[in-house]
Amino acid sequence: MEEFHKVRRLPPYVFEQVNRLKASARAAGADIIDLGMGNPDLPTPQSIVDKLCEVVQDPRTHRYSSSKGIPGLRRAQAAYYARRFGVKLNPETQVVATLGSKEGFANMAQAITAPGDVVLCPNPTYPIHAFGFLMAGGVIRSIPVEPDDTFFPPLERAVRHSIPKPLALILNYPSNPTAQVATLDFYKEVVAFAKKHDIIVLSDLAYSEIYFNDAPPPSVLEVPGAIDVAVEFTSMSKTFSMPGWRMGFAVGNERLIAALTRVKSYLDYGAFTPIQVAATQALNGDGSDIAEVRNIYKRRRDVMVDSFGKAGFEVPPPAATMFAWAKIPEKFRHLGSLEFSKLLVEKADVAVAPGIGFGEQGDDYVRLALVENEHRIRQAARNIKRFLSSADETMHNVISLNAHR
């Protein structure tokens, strides 16, 4: 049967191929060390869980909630932005709760996109940044991901040569998957560019609290006047180890927030009220839970960089996020990231995310998630070292299958 129109617009889900291979290996008894999906393994802080358990006892909280978020939660998010970024937000008109940043991005695309609208999207980037607009009927034009001087000439060319003129520019710093971090000066140039060309800025700041130096990542909304053109998406998934709770936010420009809020009002009733109350407590906390999560990821990062490097697989130390973005060892690079990722499952019992899943510009890389403990990360390094050292003897029947590349 012919696929539906919107489904046809989506490319094959690359990660599913690795997931199937991983499941098959586990079913056969293999102990797969999973560094692929960015699914935090750390428990949600007990105080947040306790608040959920307390509130859920009240049957009044079992009813439909508000899709834009309960007032206390929106006030807590506004207070967080004031403390962390020095940004003043009106919780009534400039903050809306989302079911994670992914849902927020997808529904913003539905709210603002007309068929054929052009959206400027980094490549590589987190898939929803592009796919949300593709499903809404938009057209994606890829731009570089590096937040430096090389970023702006392609933007200027895109504006000159795109018909219609681009609707929106997507930012993602700290970046998933590349872990690059933007500066406030970079954001100032972006805001100036957006105002000059009347372009919306959509910033994904899901990893604002997972950083490993003394310079916390900034928000684009810190730039004076940014709120005239920008909306920013955040998530509690990584910051508070709450991925399954599906709690996030969109904040910023009132017109854009109103559009998102209206679309959401037709599509959902918002997160379960006890989750929203527990999230409110988390945001109003003293930050100690955030600091502990950050320290754990930093220790894991350092172990991965050291142990993988000794194994012959160089991993540049990421400045932020819960990911490392590593170039495929040279002798395997011709295979591409998907085939290399399959090999790691088959030959080393290690799962990673193929870079091609984040865009064609990522095909020389794999993404490594810091979602296993230090012992398991060291074990993954030993497995990879054994695979790399024996590859010349065991790879003859694999490389021939990919001679077309």
Side-chain angles (χ1 to χ4, degrees), residues 7-316:
V7 175
R8 285 203 310 270
R9 298 199 75 199
L10 298 175
Y13 195 58
V14 169
F15 304 115
E16 185 57 33
Q17 297 186 47
V18 178
N19 290 341
R20 284 198 300 267
L21 194 61
K22 180 173 62 179
S24 177
R26 282 178 168 160
D31 177 21
I32 302 297
I33 301 172
D34 194 353
L35 307 177
M37 186 176 178
N39 193 1
D41 64 313
L42 302 177
T44 304
Q46 191 60 45
S47 61
I48 302 174
V49 176
D50 290 343
K51 175 57 70 172
L52 173 73
C53 294
E54 172 194 332
V55 178
V56 80
Q57 300 303 318
D58 183 349
R60 292 174 299 178
T61 67
H62 301 174
R63 305 175 72 182
Y64 291 129
S65 191
S66 167
S67 64
K68 69 182 294 185
I70 60 175
L73 178 61
R74 286 182 279 114
R75 288 195 296 269
Q77 175 69 352
Y80 162 75
Y81 257 77
R83 291 193 310 271
R84 173 69 165 79
F85 303 111
V87 173
K88 185 176 180 180
L89 296 168
N90 183 337
E92 292 301 316
T93 60
Q94 296 175 322
V95 179
V96 60
T98 64
L99 305 178
S101 58
K102 187 173 184 179
E103 177 267 321
F105 245 96
N107 277 328
M108 180 63 83
Q110 294 293 329
I112 68 176
T113 310
D117 275 345
V118 176
V119 176
L120 306 176
C121 184
N123 188 340
T125 194
Y126 187 54
I128 194 62
H129 297 154
F131 296 165
F133 285 93
L134 287 173
M135 286 187 281
V139 176
I140 296 300
R141 180 157 186 158
S142 294
I143 56 173
V145 70
E146 292 80 6
D148 55 27
D149 291 340
T150 67
F151 187 86
F152 293 97
L155 291 190
E156 294 286 356
R157 289 194 296 273
V159 171
R160 286 198 305 270
H161 300 297
S162 293
I163 299 176
K165 176 181 69 67
L167 168 74
L169 165 64
I170 296 172
L171 303 177
N172 176 212
Y173 303 106
S175 170
N176 176 12
T178 69
Q180 292 164 310
V181 180
T183 65
L184 193 56
D185 285 340
F186 171 80
Y187 283 142
K188 289 177 181 177
E189 291 191 59
V190 166
V191 170
F193 175 89
K195 289 192 169 189
K196 175 183 175 182
H197 296 290
D198 189 26
I199 292 175
I200 295 165
V201 176
L202 301 176
S203 170
D204 187 345
L205 193 64
Y207 296 92
S208 61
E209 301 300 342
I210 311 299
Y211 58 91
F212 308 125
N213 52 39
D214 296 329
S219 160
V220 69
L221 296 178
E222 292 180 55
V223 177
I227 206 160
D228 297 336
V229 295
V231 163
E232 194 155 65
F233 298 84
T234 59
S235 169
M236 302 187 73
S237 296
K238 280 72 179 182
T239 302
F240 294 97
S241 300
M242 296 170 63
W245 298 55
R246 307 314 303 136
M247 196 73 254
F249 301 91
V251 306
N253 180 267
E254 288 189 6
R255 176 172 174 254
L256 294 170
I257 293 297
L260 173 59
T261 302
R262 186 172 182 185
V263 166
K264 282 177 58 62
S265 72
Y266 282 92
L267 298 177
D268 72 68
Y269 284 106
F272 188 36
T273 297
I275 290 177
Q276 296 195 45
V277 175
T280 301
Q281 174 169 299
L283 287 168
N284 288 333
D286 61 7
S288 58
D289 292 331
I290 300 174
E292 177 59 21
V293 167
R294 187 185 302 131
N295 290 334
I296 290 172
Y297 284 133
K298 185 177 187 300
R299 291 195 296 269
R300 291 179 178 182
R301 177 202 70 162
D302 294 344
V303 167
M304 177 177 286
V305 170
D306 177 65
S307 62
F308 275 54
K310 291 177 179 175
F313 189 178
E314 294 299 322
V315 176

